Amino acid sequence: MQKILFMANSLYSGGAERVLQTVLNYLDRDKYEITLYSLHRENIDRDIYIKPFNYRVVFDKYSGKNVLFKILSEIYLKIKGVIFNYCPIEVFNFLFIRGRYDVEIAFIEGESTKIVSGSGNKNSKKLAWVHIDLEKNPWTSFLYKNDLDERNHYNKFDQIICVSEATRQAFLRKYHIDEEKVIVHYNPIDTQFILDKSSELSICLKHDIIHIMAVGRLVEQKGFDRLLEAVEKLKQKNIIFQLHILGEGKQKEDLQSYVTEHGLEKYVKLYGYVKNPYTIMRSGDILVCSSRAEGYSLVIAEAMVLGLAIITTNCSGPYELIDGGKYGILTDNSTEGIYKALEHVLKNKKMLERYKALALERSKMFNVQHNIQAIEQIIDK
């Protein structure tokens, strides 16, 4: 049995984490013993992470009531942070990552990739997942001295797995790593899980208007600020609809303030984090992806499974998912592009129904068993 380490920044916050959940739920436990690390301690929801694994935490806080232990824990974490930020990552990995593994997987960019790159185990196979176009959205740069430094960390991996071909091409342009080491593997989509979860008890939405869904972290990359600007323009045209935004993030207060200041309360609802977003999404008509940059956009794939028409800005992964506009509407990557596409569909019910049908047709490409088998082949190779 192979021992596998998965390193993740977090367990629930976005699309990459939902992919992680699917992968861990389907990998064969007769073949693999899995240890999952996250940066900070999070509750393991066994309705989501169904199969067993060992769980460990990189920066774990003391949760007891002993005041002395709490003070010592805080001092220890500060020292740990200094070592992470200022010492070679090999030192950090040696001191704080427990166990010996046959395969070590950094399942997301950033801290997880940096930590796994410091492994001193020369006999382990090291894999790094890249879920985002790092050329357009270089969010990991704060962890490294420069692009060359980040490239040197990636070069310590045996294989780098990108979630779309456009993501791969952007990665190669940015880091100039040996092309043979960088491959494409589309994210697994558990269609039955999505359909089962969508059938759970949910709120009822009005049936006489069109409902637009937008799901993701409330950060600049996702472009929700642009989406609200487009909604304001649609309001001025007296077009009736409702936008439902599901997700948490640092822009939440700014977005809520925009809604209030521009009188959009009847048009927009921000839900925050929703444990089961599919019960709300299933009542939608349109999924809009307003991202400035995107690697694969898991939410587009999930919305296709639920039969929502897709409107997306022109960025790497979404372009491939809708086949350049065959299975959804591809807009200019701008506020105006989002606005025009929404206006067009909201005024054309036949077009809306056609793109709903096309989304369902495209969803047939998702086969979780085949996808997981391919991941196991990458691990075993």
Side-chain angles (χ1 to χ4, degrees):
M1 181 178 289
Q2 291 194 77
K3 292 185 176 182
I4 304 179
L5 165 70
F6 279 85
M7 184 72 66
N9 298 345
S10 61
L11 304 185
Y12 300 101
S13 64
E17 289 77 11
R18 293 204 299 282
V19 175
L20 174 66
Q21 293 156 16
T22 301
V23 171
L24 293 188
N25 287 340
Y26 276 89
L27 284 179
D28 188 346
R29 292 308 193 273
D30 291 330
K31 293 172 61 178
Y32 310 116
E33 177 186 330
I34 293 173
T35 297
L36 172 63
Y37 266 94
S38 65
L39 293 184
H40 305 285
R41 182 167 295 279
E42 301 180 54
N43 292 326
I44 304 299
D45 187 335
R46 287 302 176 186
D47 290 332
I48 296 176
Y49 287 95
I50 299 168
K51 287 190 177 180
F53 52 79
N54 305 310
Y55 179 51
R56 292 175 181 166
V57 182
V58 179
F59 298 101
D60 203 5
K61 288 185 177 180
Y62 171 70
S63 58
K65 296 182 179 180
N66 187 296
V67 176
L68 178 59
F69 283 1
K70 185 176 181 179
I71 293 171
L72 291 173
S73 173
E74 290 175 355
I75 293 171
Y76 174 67
L77 284 176
K78 287 181 180 179
I79 294 171
K80 210 171 186 179
V82 169
I83 294 172
F84 177 78
N85 288 317
Y86 298 105
C87 293
I89 198 61
E90 290 79 5
V91 174
F92 184 89
N93 190 296
F94 175 77
L95 291 174
F96 304 117
I97 305 303
R98 294 156 45 199
R100 299 283 286 184
Y101 305 95
D102 300 298
V103 182
E104 299 178 84
I105 299 174
F107 201 75
I108 197 166
E109 320 83 28
E111 294 92 341
S112 294
T113 296
K114 188 171 183 178
I115 291 169
V116 175
S117 74
S119 170
N121 183 0
K122 295 182 179 179
N123 296 319
S124 69
K125 183 174 186 178
K126 298 173 185 64
L127 305 174
W129 248 264
V130 176
H131 296 266
I132 189 70
D133 182 334
L134 287 170
E135 188 178 42
K136 291 182 179 177
N137 185 26
W139 75 270
T140 59
S141 60
F142 74 99
L143 289 165
Y144 304 95
K145 297 174 184 177
N146 48 44
D147 286 353
L148 179 59
D149 182 35
E150 189 168 7
R151 173 193 175 189
N152 290 337
H153 283 78
Y154 271 113
N155 263 327
K156 295 176 182 179
F157 288 87
D158 297 289
Q159 203 151 52
I160 296 146
I161 300 141
C162 296
V163 298
S164 68
E165 179 58 35
T167 301
R168 176 179 180 269
Q169 292 300 326
F171 184 89
L172 290 171
R173 286 193 301 269
K174 184 176 177 69
Y175 300 109
H176 306 287
I177 286 175
D178 181 3
E179 290 190 17
E180 293 185 0
K181 289 179 65 171
V182 187
I183 65 171
V184 173
H185 185 82
Y186 291 119
N187 286 329
I189 306 296
D190 190 344
T191 56
Q192 193 57 52
F193 175 83
I194 293 168
L195 293 171
D196 290 345
K197 284 292 183 180
S198 73
S199 65
E200 293 181 0
L201 186 63
S202 177
I203 61 172
C204 293
L205 302 180
K206 293 180 180 179
H207 294 290
D208 56 343
I209 62 172
I210 294 174
H211 294 279
I212 303 167
M213 300 290 155
V215 185
R217 290 175 294 112
L218 307 185
V219 295
E220 184 182 11
Q221 174 215 331
K222 299 296 182 179
F224 292 113
D225 55 327
R226 305 191 297 182
L227 180 55
L228 291 185
E229 290 171 4
V231 166
E232 185 183 10
K233 290 187 174 186
L234 293 169
K235 175 194 171 186
Q236 293 171 1
K237 290 286 187 76
N238 296 316
I239 299 173
I240 305 300
F241 63 93
Q242 282 190 339
L243 169 65
H244 306 265
I245 300 178
L246 286 64
E248 282 287 351
K250 60 185 180 182
Q251 284 194 330
K252 185 176 181 181
E253 289 187 9
D254 291 340
L255 297 174
Q256 188 62 65
S257 295
Y258 189 96
V259 170
T260 303
E261 290 169 7
H262 293 84
L264 300 177
E265 292 89 348
K266 291 183 179 180
Y267 293 84
V268 181
K269 181 174 181 180
L270 281 83
Y271 289 76
Y273 171 75
V274 179
K275 179 180 176 181
N276 180 2
Y278 310 116
T279 56
I280 301 172
M281 289 172 64
R282 72 169 181 176
S283 299
D285 300 287
I286 301 167
L287 183 285
V288 59
C289 171
S290 54
S291 295
R292 291 177 167 89
E294 199 65 64
Y296 179 83
S297 186
L298 185 69
V299 71
I300 287 180
E302 293 171 336
M304 285 177 166
V305 171
L306 296 172
L308 277 67
I310 305 301
I311 295 175
T312 178
T313 51
N314 189 358
C315 42
S316 55
Y319 181 93
E320 292 178 41
L321 272 171
I322 65 171
D323 195 11
K326 182 177 179 181
Y327 296 98
I329 298 172
L330 197 67
T331 79
D332 288 341
N333 201 329
S334 64
T335 300
E336 189 67 15
I338 297 165
Y339 159 67
K340 286 182 177 179
L342 283 170
E343 181 187 32
H344 199 41
V345 174
L346 289 170
K347 289 182 174 180
N348 192 329
K349 190 170 183 179
K350 286 185 178 180
M351 174 182 284
L352 175 61
E353 295 305 317
R354 180 163 65 89
Y355 277 108
K356 283 184 177 182
L358 286 169
L360 279 175
E361 181 183 336
R362 183 63 162 172
S363 73
K364 294 175 184 177
M365 71 179 283
F366 306 128
N367 184 313
V368 68
Q369 286 82 9
H370 175 76
N371 200 302
I372 294 296
Q373 286 175 3
I375 290 174
E376 291 187 353
Q377 289 174 3
I378 294 169
I379 291 171
D380 297 341
K381 188 175 178 181

